[in-house]
Coordinates of all heavy atoms in Angstrom, one line a residue:
S1 N 47.0 -115.9 -59.1 CA 47.1 -116.7 -60.3 C 48.5 -117.1 -60.6 O 49.4 -116.2 -60.6 CB 46.5 -115.9 -61.4 OG 46.8 -116.6 -62.7
D2 N 48.7 -118.3 -60.8 CA 50.1 -118.8 -61.1 C 50.5 -118.2 -62.5 O 51.7 -118.1 -62.7 CB 50.1 -120.3 -61.2 CG 50.1 -121.0 -59.8 OD1 50.4 -120.3 -58.8 OD2 49.7 -122.2 -59.7
Y3 N 49.6 -117.9 -63.3 CA 49.9 -117.3 -64.6 C 50.7 -116.0 -64.5 O 51.7 -115.8 -65.2 CB 48.6 -117.1 -65.4 CG 48.8 -116.6 -66.8 CD1 49.6 -117.2 -67.7 CD2 48.2 -115.4 -67.2 CE1 49.8 -116.8 -69.0 CE2 48.3 -114.9 -68.5 CZ 49.1 -115.6 -69.4 OH 49.3 -115.1 -70.7
A4 N 50.3 -115.1 -63.6 CA 51.0 -113.9 -63.4 C 52.4 -114.1 -62.9 O 53.4 -113.5 -63.3 CB 50.2 -112.9 -62.5
R5 N 52.5 -115.0 -61.9 CA 53.8 -115.4 -61.3 C 54.8 -115.9 -62.4 O 55.9 -115.6 -62.5 CB 53.7 -116.3 -60.2 CG 55.0 -116.7 -59.5 CD 54.9 -117.7 -58.4 NE 54.1 -118.9 -58.8 CZ 54.5 -119.9 -59.6 NH1 55.7 -119.9 -60.0 NH2 53.7 -120.9 -59.9
T6 N 54.2 -116.8 -63.2 CA 55.0 -117.5 -64.3 C 55.5 -116.4 -65.3 O 56.7 -116.4 -65.7 CB 54.2 -118.6 -65.0 OG1 53.9 -119.6 -64.1 CG2 55.0 -119.2 -66.2
L7 N 54.6 -115.5 -65.7 CA 55.0 -114.4 -66.6 C 56.1 -113.6 -66.0 O 57.1 -113.2 -66.7 CB 53.8 -113.5 -66.9 CG 52.7 -114.2 -67.8 CD1 51.6 -113.2 -68.0 CD2 53.3 -114.6 -69.2
A8 N 56.0 -113.3 -64.7 CA 57.1 -112.5 -64.0 C 58.4 -113.2 -64.0 O 59.4 -112.6 -64.2 CB 56.6 -112.2 -62.6
E9 N 58.4 -114.5 -63.7 CA 59.6 -115.3 -63.7 C 60.2 -115.3 -65.1 O 61.4 -115.2 -65.2 CB 59.3 -116.7 -63.3 CG 59.0 -116.8 -61.8 CD 58.6 -118.2 -61.3 OE1 58.6 -119.2 -62.2 OE2 58.2 -118.4 -60.2
R10 N 59.4 -115.5 -66.1 CA 60.0 -115.5 -67.5 C 60.6 -114.2 -67.9 O 61.7 -114.1 -68.5 CB 58.9 -115.9 -68.5 CG 58.4 -117.3 -68.4 CD 57.4 -117.6 -69.4 NE 56.9 -119.0 -69.3 CZ 55.8 -119.4 -69.9 NH1 55.1 -118.7 -70.6 NH2 55.5 -120.7 -69.7
K11 N 60.0 -113.1 -67.5 CA 60.5 -111.8 -67.8 C 61.9 -111.5 -67.1 O 62.8 -111.1 -67.7 CB 59.6 -110.6 -67.4 CG 58.4 -110.5 -68.3 CD 57.5 -109.3 -67.8 CE 56.4 -109.0 -68.8 NZ 55.6 -107.9 -68.4
A12 N 61.9 -111.9 -65.8 CA 63.2 -111.7 -65.1 C 64.3 -112.6 -65.6 O 65.4 -112.2 -65.8 CB 62.9 -111.9 -63.6
H13 N 63.9 -113.8 -65.9 CA 64.9 -114.8 -66.4 C 65.5 -114.3 -67.7 O 66.7 -114.4 -68.0 CB 64.3 -116.2 -66.5 CG 65.3 -117.2 -66.7 ND1 65.7 -117.6 -68.0 CD2 66.1 -118.0 -65.9 CE1 66.6 -118.5 -68.0 NE2 66.9 -118.8 -66.7
A14 N 64.6 -113.8 -68.6 CA 65.0 -113.4 -69.9 C 66.0 -112.3 -69.9 O 66.9 -112.2 -70.7 CB 63.8 -113.0 -70.7
Y15 N 65.9 -111.4 -68.9 CA 66.8 -110.3 -68.8 C 68.0 -110.6 -68.0 O 69.0 -109.8 -68.1 CB 66.0 -109.1 -68.1 CG 66.9 -107.8 -68.0 CD1 67.2 -107.1 -69.2 CD2 67.4 -107.4 -66.8 CE1 68.0 -106.0 -69.1 CE2 68.2 -106.3 -66.7 CZ 68.5 -105.6 -67.9 OH 69.2 -104.4 -67.8
A16 N 68.0 -111.7 -67.2 CA 69.1 -112.0 -66.3 C 70.5 -112.1 -67.0 O 71.5 -111.5 -66.5 CB 68.8 -113.2 -65.5
A17 N 70.6 -112.8 -68.1 CA 71.8 -112.9 -68.8 C 72.4 -111.6 -69.3 O 73.6 -111.3 -69.2 CB 71.7 -113.9 -70.0
E18 N 71.5 -110.7 -69.8 CA 71.9 -109.4 -70.2 C 72.4 -108.6 -69.0 O 73.4 -107.8 -69.1 CB 70.8 -108.7 -70.9 CG 71.1 -107.4 -71.5 CD 70.0 -106.7 -72.2 OE1 69.0 -107.4 -72.7 OE2 70.0 -105.5 -72.3
A19 N 71.7 -108.7 -67.9 CA 72.1 -107.9 -66.7 C 73.5 -108.3 -66.2 O 74.3 -107.5 -65.8 CB 71.1 -108.1 -65.6
L20 N 73.8 -109.6 -66.3 CA 75.1 -110.1 -65.9 C 76.2 -109.4 -66.7 O 77.3 -109.0 -66.2 CB 75.2 -111.6 -66.0 CG 76.5 -112.2 -65.4 CD1 76.7 -111.9 -64.0 CD2 76.4 -113.8 -65.6
E21 N 76.0 -109.3 -68.1 CA 77.0 -108.7 -68.9 C 77.1 -107.2 -68.6 O 78.3 -106.7 -68.6 CB 76.6 -108.9 -70.4 CG 76.7 -110.3 -70.9 CD 76.2 -110.4 -72.3 OE1 76.1 -109.4 -73.0 OE2 75.9 -111.6 -72.7
I22 N 76.0 -106.5 -68.3 CA 76.1 -105.1 -68.1 C 76.8 -104.8 -66.7 O 77.6 -103.9 -66.6 CB 74.6 -104.5 -68.0 CG1 74.0 -104.6 -69.4 CG2 74.6 -103.1 -67.5 CD1 72.5 -104.2 -69.4
T23 N 76.5 -105.6 -65.7 CA 77.0 -105.3 -64.4 C 78.4 -105.9 -64.2 O 79.1 -105.5 -63.3 CB 76.1 -105.9 -63.3 OG1 76.0 -107.3 -63.4 CG2 74.7 -105.2 -63.4
N24 N 78.7 -107.0 -65.0 CA 80.0 -107.7 -64.8 C 80.2 -108.1 -63.4 O 81.3 -108.1 -62.8 CB 81.1 -106.8 -65.3 CG 82.4 -107.6 -65.6 OD1 82.3 -108.8 -65.9 ND2 83.5 -107.0 -65.6
G25 N 79.1 -108.6 -62.8 CA 79.2 -109.1 -61.4 C 77.9 -109.6 -60.9 O 77.1 -110.1 -61.7
V26 N 77.6 -109.4 -59.7 CA 76.4 -109.8 -59.1 C 75.2 -108.8 -59.3 O 75.4 -107.6 -59.2 CB 76.6 -110.1 -57.5 CG1 75.3 -110.5 -56.9 CG2 77.7 -111.1 -57.3
A27 N 74.1 -109.4 -59.6 CA 72.9 -108.5 -59.9 C 71.6 -109.2 -59.4 O 71.6 -110.4 -59.5 CB 72.8 -108.1 -61.3
L28 N 70.7 -108.4 -58.9 CA 69.4 -108.9 -58.6 C 68.4 -108.4 -59.7 O 68.5 -107.2 -60.0 CB 68.9 -108.5 -57.2 CG 69.6 -109.1 -56.0 CD1 69.0 -108.4 -54.8 CD2 69.4 -110.6 -56.0
I29 N 67.6 -109.3 -60.2 CA 66.7 -108.9 -61.3 C 65.3 -109.1 -60.8 O 64.9 -110.2 -60.3 CB 66.9 -109.8 -62.6 CG1 68.4 -109.8 -63.0 CG2 66.0 -109.3 -63.7 CD1 68.9 -108.4 -63.3
I30 N 64.5 -108.1 -60.9 CA 63.1 -108.1 -60.4 C 62.2 -108.1 -61.7 O 62.3 -107.1 -62.5 CB 62.7 -107.0 -59.5 CG1 63.6 -107.0 -58.3 CG2 61.2 -107.1 -59.1 CD1 63.5 -105.8 -57.4
G31 N 61.4 -109.1 -61.8 CA 60.4 -109.1 -62.9 C 59.0 -109.1 -62.3 O 58.8 -109.6 -61.2
S32 N 58.1 -108.5 -63.0 CA 56.7 -108.5 -62.6 C 55.7 -108.4 -63.8 O 56.1 -108.0 -64.9 CB 56.4 -107.3 -61.6 OG 56.5 -106.1 -62.3
D33 N 54.5 -108.9 -63.5 CA 53.5 -108.8 -64.5 C 52.1 -108.8 -63.8 O 52.0 -109.3 -62.7 CB 53.5 -110.0 -65.5 CG 53.0 -109.7 -66.8 OD1 52.0 -108.8 -66.9 OD2 53.5 -110.2 -67.8
T34 N 51.2 -108.1 -64.4 CA 49.8 -108.0 -63.8 C 48.8 -108.4 -64.9 O 48.9 -108.1 -66.1 CB 49.6 -106.5 -63.4 OG1 50.5 -106.2 -62.4 CG2 48.2 -106.3 -62.9
I35 N 47.8 -109.2 -64.4 CA 46.8 -109.6 -65.3 C 45.4 -109.3 -64.6 O 45.3 -109.2 -63.4 CB 46.8 -111.1 -65.7 CG1 46.8 -112.0 -64.4 CG2 48.1 -111.4 -66.5 CD1 46.7 -113.5 -64.7
V36 N 44.4 -109.1 -65.5 CA 43.1 -108.9 -65.0 C 42.2 -110.2 -65.3 O 42.3 -110.8 -66.4 CB 42.4 -107.7 -65.8 CG1 41.0 -107.5 -65.4 CG2 43.2 -106.4 -65.5
D37 N 41.5 -110.6 -64.3 CA 40.7 -111.8 -64.3 C 39.3 -111.5 -64.1 O 38.9 -111.0 -63.0 CB 41.3 -112.8 -63.2 CG 40.5 -114.0 -63.0 OD1 39.3 -114.1 -63.5 OD2 41.0 -114.9 -62.4
L38 N 38.4 -111.6 -65.1 CA 37.0 -111.3 -64.9 C 36.2 -112.6 -65.0 O 36.2 -113.3 -66.1 CB 36.5 -110.4 -66.0 CG 35.0 -110.0 -66.0 CD1 34.6 -109.3 -64.7 CD2 34.7 -109.2 -67.3
D39 N 35.7 -113.1 -63.9 CA 34.9 -114.3 -63.8 C 35.7 -115.5 -64.4 O 35.2 -116.3 -65.1 CB 33.6 -114.2 -64.6 CG 32.7 -113.1 -64.0 OD1 32.8 -112.9 -62.7 OD2 32.0 -112.4 -64.7
G40 N 37.0 -115.6 -64.0 CA 37.8 -116.7 -64.5 C 38.4 -116.6 -65.9 O 39.1 -117.5 -66.3
H41 N 38.1 -115.5 -66.5 CA 38.6 -115.2 -67.9 C 39.8 -114.2 -67.8 O 39.5 -113.1 -67.3 CB 37.5 -114.7 -68.8 CG 38.0 -114.3 -70.1 ND1 38.4 -115.1 -71.1 CD2 38.1 -113.0 -70.7 CE1 38.8 -114.5 -72.2 NE2 38.6 -113.2 -71.9
I42 N 41.0 -114.6 -68.2 CA 42.1 -113.6 -68.2 C 42.0 -112.7 -69.4 O 41.8 -113.1 -70.6 CB 43.4 -114.4 -68.3 CG1 43.6 -115.2 -67.0 CG2 44.6 -113.4 -68.5 CD1 44.8 -116.1 -66.9
M43 N 42.0 -111.4 -69.1 CA 41.9 -110.4 -70.2 C 43.3 -110.0 -70.6 O 44.0 -109.4 -69.9 CB 41.1 -109.2 -69.6 CG 39.7 -109.6 -69.2 SD 38.8 -108.2 -68.5 CE 38.1 -107.6 -70.1
E44 N 43.6 -110.4 -71.8 CA 45.0 -110.1 -72.4 C 45.0 -108.6 -72.8 O 43.9 -108.0 -72.9 CB 45.3 -111.0 -73.6 CG 45.3 -112.5 -73.2 CD 46.5 -112.9 -72.4 OE1 47.4 -112.2 -72.2 OE2 46.4 -114.0 -71.9
K45 N 46.1 -108.1 -73.2 CA 46.2 -106.7 -73.6 C 45.4 -106.6 -74.9 O 45.4 -107.4 -75.8 CB 47.7 -106.4 -73.9 CG 48.5 -106.3 -72.6 CD 49.9 -105.9 -72.9 CE 50.7 -105.7 -71.7 NZ 51.0 -106.9 -70.9
P46 N 44.6 -105.5 -75.0 CA 43.8 -105.3 -76.2 C 44.7 -105.1 -77.4 O 45.7 -104.5 -77.4 CB 43.0 -104.1 -75.8 CG 43.7 -103.4 -74.8 CD 44.5 -104.4 -74.0
T47 N 44.2 -105.6 -78.5 CA 44.9 -105.5 -79.8 C 44.6 -104.3 -80.6 O 45.4 -103.9 -81.4 CB 44.6 -106.8 -80.7 OG1 43.2 -106.9 -80.8 CG2 45.2 -108.0 -80.0
D48 N 43.5 -103.7 -80.3 CA 43.1 -102.4 -80.9 C 42.1 -101.7 -80.1 O 41.6 -102.1 -79.0 CB 42.6 -102.7 -82.4 CG 41.4 -103.6 -82.4 OD1 40.5 -103.5 -81.5 OD2 41.3 -104.4 -83.4
E49 N 41.7 -100.5 -80.6 CA 40.7 -99.7 -79.8 C 39.4 -100.3 -79.6 O 38.8 -100.2 -78.6 CB 40.6 -98.3 -80.5 CG 39.8 -97.3 -79.7 CD 39.8 -95.9 -80.4 OE1 40.8 -95.6 -81.1 OE2 38.8 -95.2 -80.2
K50 N 38.9 -101.1 -80.6 CA 37.6 -101.7 -80.5 C 37.6 -102.8 -79.4 O 36.7 -102.9 -78.7 CB 37.3 -102.3 -81.9 CG 35.9 -103.0 -81.9 CD 35.6 -103.6 -83.3 CE 34.2 -104.2 -83.3 NZ 33.9 -104.8 -84.6
V51 N 38.7 -103.6 -79.4 CA 38.8 -104.6 -78.4 C 39.0 -103.9 -77.0 O 38.4 -104.4 -76.0 CB 40.1 -105.5 -78.7 CG1 40.3 -106.5 -77.5 CG2 39.8 -106.3 -80.0
A52 N 39.7 -102.8 -76.9 CA 39.9 -102.1 -75.6 C 38.5 -101.6 -75.1 O 38.2 -101.8 -73.9 CB 40.8 -101.0 -75.8
H53 N 37.7 -101.1 -76.0 CA 36.4 -100.6 -75.7 C 35.5 -101.7 -75.2 O 34.8 -101.6 -74.2 CB 35.7 -99.9 -76.9 CG 34.4 -99.3 -76.5 ND1 33.2 -100.0 -76.6 CD2 34.1 -98.0 -76.1 CE1 32.2 -99.2 -76.3 NE2 32.7 -98.0 -75.9
S54 N 35.6 -102.9 -75.8 CA 34.8 -104.1 -75.4 C 35.2 -104.5 -74.0 O 34.4 -104.9 -73.2 CB 35.0 -105.2 -76.5 OG 34.4 -106.3 -76.0
M55 N 36.5 -104.5 -73.8 CA 37.0 -105.0 -72.5 C 36.6 -104.0 -71.4 O 36.1 -104.5 -70.3 CB 38.6 -105.0 -72.5 CG 39.1 -106.2 -73.4 SD 40.9 -106.1 -73.6 CE 41.4 -106.5 -71.9
L56 N 36.7 -102.7 -71.6 CA 36.2 -101.8 -70.6 C 34.7 -101.9 -70.4 O 34.3 -101.8 -69.2 CB 36.6 -100.3 -71.1 CG 38.1 -100.0 -71.0 CD1 38.3 -98.7 -71.7 CD2 38.7 -100.1 -69.6
S57 N 34.0 -102.1 -71.4 CA 32.5 -102.3 -71.3 C 32.2 -103.5 -70.4 O 31.3 -103.5 -69.6 CB 31.8 -102.4 -72.6 OG 32.0 -101.2 -73.3
S58 N 33.0 -104.6 -70.6 CA 32.7 -105.8 -69.8 C 33.1 -105.6 -68.3 O 32.5 -106.2 -67.5 CB 33.4 -107.0 -70.4 OG 34.8 -106.9 -70.3
L59 N 34.1 -104.8 -68.1 CA 34.5 -104.5 -66.7 C 33.5 -103.5 -66.0 O 33.4 -103.5 -64.8 CB 35.9 -103.9 -66.7 CG 37.0 -104.9 -67.0 CD1 38.3 -104.2 -67.2 CD2 37.2 -106.0 -65.9
S60 N 32.9 -102.7 -66.8 CA 32.0 -101.6 -66.3 C 31.0 -102.1 -65.2 O 30.2 -103.0 -65.5 CB 31.3 -100.9 -67.4 OG 30.4 -99.9 -66.9
G61 N 31.1 -101.5 -64.0 CA 30.2 -101.9 -62.9 C 30.4 -103.2 -62.3 O 29.6 -103.7 -61.5
N62 N 31.4 -104.0 -62.7 CA 31.7 -105.3 -62.2 C 32.9 -105.5 -61.3 O 33.9 -104.7 -61.4 CB 31.8 -106.3 -63.4 CG 30.5 -106.4 -64.2 OD1 29.5 -106.7 -63.6 ND2 30.6 -106.3 -65.5
W63 N 32.8 -106.5 -60.5 CA 34.0 -106.9 -59.7 C 34.9 -107.8 -60.5 O 34.4 -108.6 -61.4 CB 33.6 -107.6 -58.4 CG 33.0 -106.8 -57.4 CD1 31.7 -106.5 -57.2 CD2 33.7 -106.1 -56.4 NE1 31.5 -105.7 -56.1 CE2 32.8 -105.4 -55.6 CE3 35.1 -105.9 -56.1 CZ2 33.1 -104.6 -54.5 CZ3 35.4 -105.2 -55.0 CH2 34.4 -104.5 -54.2
H64 N 36.2 -107.6 -60.4 CA 37.2 -108.5 -61.0 C 38.4 -108.6 -60.1 O 38.5 -108.0 -59.1 CB 37.5 -108.0 -62.4 CG 38.2 -106.6 -62.4 ND1 37.5 -105.4 -62.2 CD2 39.5 -106.3 -62.5 CE1 38.4 -104.4 -62.3 NE2 39.6 -104.9 -62.4
Q65 N 39.3 -109.5 -60.5 CA 40.5 -109.7 -59.7 C 41.7 -109.2 -60.6 O 41.7 -109.4 -61.8 CB 40.7 -111.1 -59.4 CG 39.7 -111.6 -58.4 CD 39.9 -113.1 -58.0 OE1 40.3 -113.9 -58.8 NE2 39.7 -113.4 -56.7
V66 N 42.6 -108.6 -59.9 CA 43.9 -108.1 -60.5 C 45.0 -108.9 -59.8 O 45.2 -108.8 -58.6 CB 44.1 -106.6 -60.4 CG1 45.5 -106.2 -60.9 CG2 43.0 -105.9 -61.0
H67 N 45.7 -109.8 -60.6 CA 46.8 -110.6 -60.1 C 48.1 -110.0 -60.5 O 48.3 -109.8 -61.7 CB 46.7 -112.0 -60.6 CG 45.4 -112.7 -60.4 ND1 44.9 -113.2 -59.2 CD2 44.4 -113.0 -61.3 CE1 43.7 -113.7 -59.4 NE2 43.4 -113.6 -60.6
T68 N 49.0 -109.8 -59.5 CA 50.3 -109.3 -59.8 C 51.3 -110.3 -59.4 O 51.4 -110.7 -58.2 CB 50.6 -107.9 -59.2 OG1 49.7 -107.0 -59.7 CG2 52.0 -107.4 -59.5
G69 N 52.2 -110.8 -60.3 CA 53.2 -111.7 -60.0 C 54.6 -111.0 -59.9 O 54.8 -110.1 -60.7
V70 N 55.4 -111.4 -59.0 CA 56.7 -110.8 -58.8 C 57.7 -112.0 -58.7 O 57.5 -113.0 -58.0 CB 56.8 -109.9 -57.6 CG1 58.2 -109.4 -57.3 CG2 55.8 -108.8 -57.7
A71 N 58.9 -111.8 -59.4 CA 60.0 -112.8 -59.3 C 61.3 -112.1 -59.1 O 61.5 -111.0 -59.7 CB 60.0 -113.7 -60.6
V72 N 62.1 -112.6 -58.3 CA 63.5 -112.1 -58.1 C 64.5 -113.2 -58.4 O 64.5 -114.2 -57.8 CB 63.7 -111.6 -56.6 CG1 65.1 -111.1 -56.4 CG2 62.7 -110.5 -56.3
Y73 N 65.4 -112.9 -59.3 CA 66.5 -113.7 -59.7 C 67.8 -113.1 -59.3 O 67.9 -111.9 -59.3 CB 66.5 -114.0 -61.2 CG 65.6 -115.0 -61.7 CD1 64.3 -114.7 -62.0 CD2 66.1 -116.3 -61.9 CE1 63.5 -115.7 -62.5 CE2 65.3 -117.3 -62.4 CZ 63.9 -117.0 -62.7 OH 63.1 -118.0 -63.2
A74 N 68.8 -113.9 -58.9 CA 70.1 -113.5 -58.7 C 71.0 -114.0 -59.8 O 70.9 -115.2 -60.2 CB 70.7 -113.9 -57.3
V75 N 71.9 -113.2 -60.3 CA 72.9 -113.7 -61.3 C 74.3 -113.3 -60.8 O 74.5 -112.3 -60.2 CB 72.7 -113.0 -62.7 CG1 71.4 -113.5 -63.4 CG2 72.6 -111.5 -62.7
G76 N 75.2 -114.2 -61.1 CA 76.6 -114.0 -60.7 C 76.8 -114.3 -59.2 O 77.9 -114.0 -58.7
A77 N 75.8 -114.8 -58.5 CA 75.9 -115.0 -57.1 C 76.7 -116.3 -56.7 O 77.1 -116.5 -55.6 CB 74.6 -115.0 -56.4
S78 N 76.7 -117.2 -57.7 CA 77.4 -118.5 -57.5 C 78.7 -118.6 -58.3 O 78.7 -118.3 -59.5 CB 76.4 -119.6 -58.0 OG 77.1 -120.9 -58.0
A79 N 79.8 -119.0 -57.6 CA 81.1 -119.1 -58.3 C 81.1 -120.2 -59.3 O 81.9 -120.2 -60.2 CB 82.1 -119.3 -57.2
S80 N 80.2 -121.2 -59.1 CA 80.2 -122.3 -60.0 C 79.3 -122.2 -61.2 O 79.4 -123.0 -62.2 CB 79.8 -123.6 -59.2 OG 78.5 -123.4 -58.8
S81 N 78.5 -121.1 -61.3 CA 77.6 -121.0 -62.4 C 77.1 -119.6 -62.6 O 76.9 -118.8 -61.6 CB 76.3 -121.9 -62.1 OG 75.3 -121.6 -63.1
N82 N 77.0 -119.2 -63.8 CA 76.4 -117.9 -64.1 C 74.9 -117.9 -64.4 O 74.3 -117.0 -64.9 CB 77.1 -117.2 -65.3 CG 78.5 -116.6 -64.9 OD1 78.7 -116.3 -63.7 ND2 79.4 -116.5 -65.8
E83 N 74.3 -119.1 -64.2 CA 72.9 -119.3 -64.5 C 72.1 -118.5 -63.5 O 72.4 -118.4 -62.3 CB 72.5 -120.8 -64.4 CG 72.9 -121.6 -65.6 CD 72.2 -121.1 -66.8 OE1 71.0 -121.0 -66.8 OE2 72.9 -120.9 -67.8
P84 N 71.1 -117.8 -63.9 CA 70.2 -117.1 -63.0 C 69.6 -118.0 -62.0 O 69.2 -119.2 -62.3 CB 69.1 -116.5 -63.9 CG 69.6 -116.6 -65.3 CD 70.6 -117.7 -65.3
Q85 N 69.5 -117.6 -60.8 CA 69.0 -118.4 -59.7 C 67.7 -117.7 -59.2 O 67.8 -116.6 -58.7 CB 70.0 -118.6 -58.5 CG 71.2 -119.4 -58.9 CD 72.2 -119.4 -57.8 OE1 72.2 -118.6 -56.9 NE2 73.1 -120.4 -57.9
L86 N 66.6 -118.4 -59.2 CA 65.3 -117.9 -58.7 C 65.4 -117.8 -57.2 O 65.6 -118.8 -56.5 CB 64.1 -118.7 -59.1 CG 62.8 -118.3 -58.6 CD1 62.4 -116.9 -59.2 CD2 61.7 -119.3 -59.0
M87 N 65.4 -116.6 -56.7 CA 65.4 -116.4 -55.2 C 64.0 -116.6 -54.6 O 63.9 -117.3 -53.6 CB 66.0 -115.0 -54.9 CG 67.3 -114.7 -55.5 SD 68.6 -115.9 -55.1 CE 68.9 -115.6 -53.4
F88 N 63.1 -116.0 -55.2 CA 61.7 -116.2 -54.8 C 60.7 -115.6 -55.8 O 61.1 -114.7 -56.6 CB 61.4 -115.6 -53.4 CG 61.6 -114.1 -53.2 CD1 60.5 -113.3 -53.5 CD2 62.8 -113.6 -52.9 CE1 60.7 -111.9 -53.4 CE2 63.0 -112.2 -52.7 CZ 61.9 -111.4 -53.0
S89 N 59.5 -116.0 -55.7 CA 58.4 -115.4 -56.5 C 57.1 -115.6 -55.8 O 57.0 -116.5 -55.0 CB 58.4 -116.1 -57.9 OG 58.1 -117.5 -57.8
F90 N 56.2 -114.7 -56.1 CA 54.9 -114.8 -55.5 C 53.8 -114.1 -56.3 O 54.2 -113.3 -57.3 CB 54.9 -114.2 -54.1 CG 55.2 -112.7 -54.1 CD1 54.3 -111.8 -54.1 CD2 56.6 -112.3 -54.0 CE1 54.6 -110.4 -54.1 CE2 56.9 -111.0 -54.0 CZ 55.9 -110.0 -54.0
T91 N 52.6 -114.3 -56.0 CA 51.5 -113.5 -56.6 C 50.6 -112.9 -55.5 O 50.4 -113.5 -54.5 CB 50.6 -114.5 -57.5 OG1 51.4 -115.1 -58.4 CG2 49.5 -113.7 -58.1
D92 N 50.2 -111.7 -55.8 CA 49.3 -111.0 -54.8 C 48.0 -110.7 -55.7 O 48.1 -110.3 -56.8 CB 49.9 -109.8 -54.2 CG 49.1 -109.3 -53.0 OD1 48.4 -110.1 -52.4 OD2 49.1 -108.1 -52.8
T93 N 46.9 -110.8 -55.1 CA 45.6 -110.6 -55.8 C 44.8 -109.5 -55.1 O 44.7 -109.5 -53.8 CB 44.8 -111.9 -55.9 OG1 45.6 -112.8 -56.6 CG2 43.5 -111.7 -56.6
A94 N 44.3 -108.6 -55.9 CA 43.4 -107.5 -55.3 C 42.0 -107.7 -56.0 O 41.9 -108.0 -57.2 CB 43.9 -106.2 -55.6
K95 N 41.0 -107.6 -55.2 CA 39.6 -107.6 -55.8 C 39.2 -106.2 -56.0 O 39.3 -105.3 -55.1 CB 38.7 -108.3 -54.8 CG 37.3 -108.6 -55.4 CD 36.5 -109.4 -54.5 CE 35.1 -109.7 -55.1 NZ 34.3 -110.5 -54.3
V96 N 38.8 -105.9 -57.2 CA 38.5 -104.5 -57.6 C 37.1 -104.3 -58.2 O 36.7 -105.2 -59.0 CB 39.6 -104.0 -58.7 CG1 39.3 -102.6 -59.2 CG2 41.0 -104.2 -58.2
K97 N 36.5 -103.3 -57.8 CA 35.2 -103.0 -58.5 C 35.4 -101.8 -59.4 O 35.8 -100.7 -59.1 CB 34.1 -102.6 -57.4 CG 32.8 -102.1 -58.1 CD 31.6 -102.9 -57.7 CE 30.4 -102.5 -58.5 NZ 29.2 -102.4 -57.8
F98 N 35.1 -102.1 -60.7 CA 35.2 -101.1 -61.7 C 34.0 -100.2 -61.7 O 32.9 -100.7 -61.6 CB 35.4 -101.8 -63.1 CG 36.1 -101.1 -64.1 CD1 37.5 -101.2 -64.3 CD2 35.5 -100.2 -65.0 CE1 38.2 -100.6 -65.3 CE2 36.2 -99.5 -66.0 CZ 37.5 -99.7 -66.1
A99 N 34.2 -98.9 -61.8 CA 33.1 -97.9 -61.9 C 32.2 -98.2 -63.1 O 32.7 -98.7 -64.1 CB 33.6 -96.5 -61.9
S100 N 31.0 -97.9 -63.0 CA 30.1 -98.0 -64.2 C 30.4 -96.9 -65.1 O 30.6 -95.7 -64.8 CB 28.6 -97.9 -63.7 OG 28.3 -98.9 -62.9
L101 N 30.6 -97.3 -66.4 CA 31.0 -96.3 -67.4 C 29.8 -95.9 -68.2 O 28.9 -96.7 -68.4 CB 32.1 -96.9 -68.3 CG 33.4 -97.4 -67.7 CD1 34.3 -98.0 -68.7 CD2 34.1 -96.2 -67.0
T102 N 29.9 -94.7 -68.8 CA 28.8 -94.2 -69.7 C 29.5 -94.2 -71.1 O 30.7 -94.3 -71.2 CB 28.3 -92.8 -69.3 OG1 29.4 -91.9 -69.4 CG2 27.8 -92.9 -67.9
D103 N 28.7 -93.9 -72.1 CA 29.2 -93.8 -73.5 C 29.9 -92.5 -73.7 O 30.5 -92.3 -74.7 CB 28.1 -94.0 -74.5 CG 27.6 -95.4 -74.5 OD1 28.4 -96.3 -74.2 OD2 26.4 -95.7 -74.9
R104 N 29.8 -91.6 -72.8 CA 30.5 -90.3 -72.9 C 31.9 -90.5 -72.7 O 32.8 -90.4 -72.5 CB 29.9 -89.3 -72.0 CG 28.5 -88.8 -72.5 CD 27.9 -87.8 -71.6 NE 28.8 -86.7 -71.5 CZ 28.6 -85.7 -70.6 NH1 27.5 -85.7 -69.9 NH2 29.4 -84.7 -70.6

């Protein structure tokens, strides 16, 4: 999913400027994010216990996809600019079967 890769790029880019100040030189920044996709519906982080229970119940006994996006930025690598440079980014997807859950 491009969504996971985009989230990873945003996280790494957001931290890149801070990393340049900390390292006072060249740094590689790795950002990542993982999302769960159930039948084309992205499951965001649950907002409370009730929502979490509902999400787990919908996953119970079902196949879903887990998309993990990774992005690598370089900062301080260019003499002409301190802007973070995206070196590469990608998404990997795993198909996962969630065990059937009981109410216990």
Side-chain angles (χ1 to χ4, degrees):
S1 166
D2 287 338
Y3 182 56
R5 181 185 46 79
T6 299
L7 291 173
E9 289 177 3
R10 288 180 184 168
K11 284 183 175 183
H13 189 272
Y15 184 70
E18 184 177 336
L20 185 60
E21 290 177 19
I22 293 170
T23 63
N24 200 21
V26 177
L28 291 176
I29 307 302
I30 302 170
S32 67
D33 209 325
T34 299
I35 58 170
V36 174
D37 174 346
L38 177 63
D39 298 327
H41 172 72
I42 294 173
M43 302 180 84
E44 301 289 348
K45 290 182 176 67
T47 53
D48 58 34
E49 190 174 328
K50 183 178 179 181
V51 173
H53 185 270
S54 174
M55 290 172 69
L56 291 173
S57 294
S58 66
L59 289 169
S60 179
N62 291 312
W63 284 95
H64 63 283
Q65 294 183 320
V66 177
H67 307 286
T68 299
V70 177
V72 177
Y73 277 85
V75 291
S78 171
S80 62
S81 172
N82 280 339
E83 283 298 310
Q85 297 174 337
L86 179 62
M87 304 305 289
F88 62 90
S89 62
F90 63 90
T91 303
D92 195 28
T93 300
K95 191 171 181 181
V96 177
K97 174 125 189 220
F98 206 91
S100 294
L101 301 176
T102 64
D103 288 335
R104 286 181 57 188

